[in-house]
Amino acid sequence: MGDTILLFESRDLCYESNRYFMECMADAFEQAGYPVEICDLSACMEEKLEAILKRREQFLAGFDFNSLLPRLELEDGTPYLTALGVPFYNYLVDHPLYHHIGIKNSFPGYSVICIDTCHQSYVRKYYPHIGQVLYLPLGAMKADMERSFCQKRLELLFLGTYEPEENLYLELSDYPDGQRREIAALIDMMGADHELTQEEALMRYLKDQKQEISPEQFIRKMNADYLADKYLRNKRRKDAVSAAAKAGVSFTIIGQGWELAKGLEGPHVQIRQGIGFAASVQMIANAKMLLNVTPGFCGGMHDRVYSAMINRTLCLTEKSGFSQKILLDKEEAVLYDSAKPHTLAEAVSSLQKQPERIEAITQRAYQKAAERHTWANRVSQIIKSLSCRTGYNLL
């Protein structure tokens, strides 16, 4: 076993976010004293993977985000991860229901990292063959250039894509009748209770329908019913963004699809197309306030929250049992009720009139993020996990 950390890039995530995460991880590992190699598989995948196998004794562990590697096999049928033979961590940045194919099989030393405690519980329950399932949120990402409050040019910022709900309903109309009714029921249940996970909603639905199915059938249903999560993700984003826009505060919205949203007209609203992830971090640092919407994450928070904190940007994010454990409302962030998005307009308007209050909140948030939520903190936890997996003291 070597000492080099191997970071794979097997697929492109939204706005090349995984490349940015890998660079942050690489810096943190190197600061901790570990050499790092990044393997970009976007071109010449077979040749690169073969070359890695020939040098496998050099590597301590491998990492990838929403990885495709668990699906790959050698010509003789041997799973690639089995042939690689080092601890491998598949970092899932959304609900595991989207990654059934990537986590249904077991490999020696295979671990899954989740950014939500509910996702972690889901994997542990329905994929017990995976030896280690960690909860580890993505780290705070600091912009290259720090800005004082007076230097920040954007009053309120939102980052995220949007797909009209009516388009998703049209997609749903092509489903078989039974599945269509099932997905519609899940949407109704989760729409009424914003802290209800899709797995809990599906269990209730099946119980109401007096259906008994195996765990394997259950996780396949979760995967097939992904449209419920996708629909609510877009609807709640639209509800929150539309409500915040009513504050009349200068509002910059960045992401694909928002030009299709109705009700965002007005001279104070500026809609821009999506930008690369690195640029989005710079935009967060240039904003006084950031609106965050993370539907479907009942036991976790989006990395935008931590990045806002480390860049001294006030974050307005959903109030939940989880967020209330991590953040002090009105002291480190402002938590809003996602079931009452109309309250956002008043909150945004009130905050904009109190710059001293914003500065005080962001300073406390910065201190917490710098102490607890950096990529150095996250990598330190990974190294502890590796020490347990390998039996070596790597600290």
Side-chain angles (χ1 to χ4, degrees), residues 176-244:
D177 289 347
Q179 188 179 9
R180 188 166 64 246
R181 287 193 298 271
E182 181 172 293
I183 293 174
L186 299 184
I187 289 172
D188 288 343
M189 283 189 280
M190 291 188 288
D193 181 355
H194 288 202
E195 295 216 46
L196 184 68
T197 65
Q198 184 159 323
E199 52 269 30
E200 291 170 329
L202 181 56
M203 282 189 280
R204 290 185 190 180
Y205 177 80
L206 295 172
K207 184 177 180 181
D208 291 344
Q209 298 298 309
K210 296 181 171 54
Q211 293 185 40
E212 293 187 10
I213 61 175
S214 69
E216 175 62 26
Q217 290 171 315
F218 184 87
I219 56 180
R220 287 186 178 183
K221 269 186 174 290
M222 284 285 291
N223 179 255
D225 291 350
Y226 76 93
L227 201 59
D229 176 81
K230 188 176 180 182
Y231 175 86
L232 287 170
R233 185 188 311 169
N234 283 276
K235 182 181 186 302
R236 290 182 191 166
R237 281 178 180 170
K238 169 71 181 309
D239 289 346
V241 169
S242 298

Side-chain angles (χ1 to χ4, degrees), residues 52-309:
I52 290 293
L53 285 183
K54 291 177 180 178
R55 298 187 292 116
R56 56 191 159 201
E57 70 283 351
Q58 299 176 11
F59 303 111
L60 175 62
F63 295 82
D64 195 7
F65 291 87
N66 293 358
S67 185
L68 294 176
L69 294 181
R71 309 182 187 193
L72 301 184
E73 294 182 347
L74 304 182
E75 289 184 2
D76 64 1
T78 304
Y80 183 81
L81 292 181
T82 299
L84 183 61
V86 301
F88 180 80
Y89 292 77
N90 190 358
Y91 216 135
L92 304 183
V93 298
D94 42 25
H95 197 293
L97 71 88
Y98 292 99
H99 304 288
H100 171 63
I101 296 176
I103 58 178
K104 67 178 182 178
N105 296 321
S106 177
F107 312 98
Y110 186 32
S111 298
V112 165
I113 300 176
C114 298
I115 63 174
D116 181 294
T117 57
C118 296
H119 299 174
Q120 179 190 36
S121 297
Y122 179 80
V123 176
R124 283 178 171 171
K125 180 176 181 178
Y126 291 104
Y127 301 87
H129 55 271
I130 294 177
Q132 182 175 229
V133 186
L134 304 176
Y135 161 69
L136 191 67
L138 297 164
M141 286 156 277
K142 195 171 185 178
D144 295 334
M145 181 182 296
E146 291 192 46
R147 289 179 173 84
S148 67
F149 183 80
C150 294
Q151 292 173 324
K152 292 173 180 278
R153 298 173 57 192
L154 305 177
E155 293 293 328
L156 178 64
L157 173 67
F158 175 82
L159 295 160
T161 58
Y162 173 68
E163 186 172 352
E165 303 95 274
E166 52 267 31
N167 290 4
L168 298 173
Y169 253 121
L170 283 174
E171 186 177 339
L172 181 60
S173 67
D174 292 332
Y175 282 51
D177 289 347
Q179 188 179 9
R180 188 166 64 246
R181 287 193 298 271
E182 181 172 293
I183 293 174
L186 299 184
I187 289 172
D188 288 343
M189 283 189 280
M190 291 188 288
D193 181 355
H194 288 202
E195 295 216 46
L196 184 68
T197 65
Q198 184 159 323
E199 52 269 30
E200 291 170 329
L202 181 56
M203 282 189 280
R204 290 185 190 180
Y205 177 80
L206 295 172
K207 184 177 180 181
D208 291 344
Q209 298 298 309
K210 296 181 171 54
Q211 293 185 40
E212 293 187 10
I213 61 175
S214 69
E216 175 62 26
Q217 290 171 315
F218 184 87
I219 56 180
R220 287 186 178 183
K221 269 186 174 290
M222 284 285 291
N223 179 255
D225 291 350
Y226 76 93
L227 201 59
D229 176 81
K230 188 176 180 182
Y231 175 86
L232 287 170
R233 185 188 311 169
N234 283 276
K235 182 181 186 302
R236 290 182 191 166
R237 281 178 180 170
K238 169 71 181 309
D239 289 346
V241 169
S242 298
K246 289 181 171 61
V249 172
S250 179
F251 191 9
T252 303
I253 302 168
I254 299 178
Q256 301 291 342
W258 286 103
E259 69 281 0
L260 304 174
K262 299 174 183 177
L264 295 178
E265 298 81 8
H268 66 289
V269 177
Q270 182 180 16
I271 296 175
R272 302 185 191 177
Q273 290 297 305
I275 55 177
F277 197 86
S280 73
V281 174
Q282 310 305 315
M283 295 293 287
I284 290 174
N286 200 22
K288 296 175 182 177
M289 295 182 284
L290 174 78
L291 173 62
N292 177 66
V293 187
T294 48
F297 282 70
C298 301
M301 295 190 302
H302 197 278
D303 54 271
R304 283 186 296 263
V305 177
Y306 302 115
S307 293
M309 294 168 71

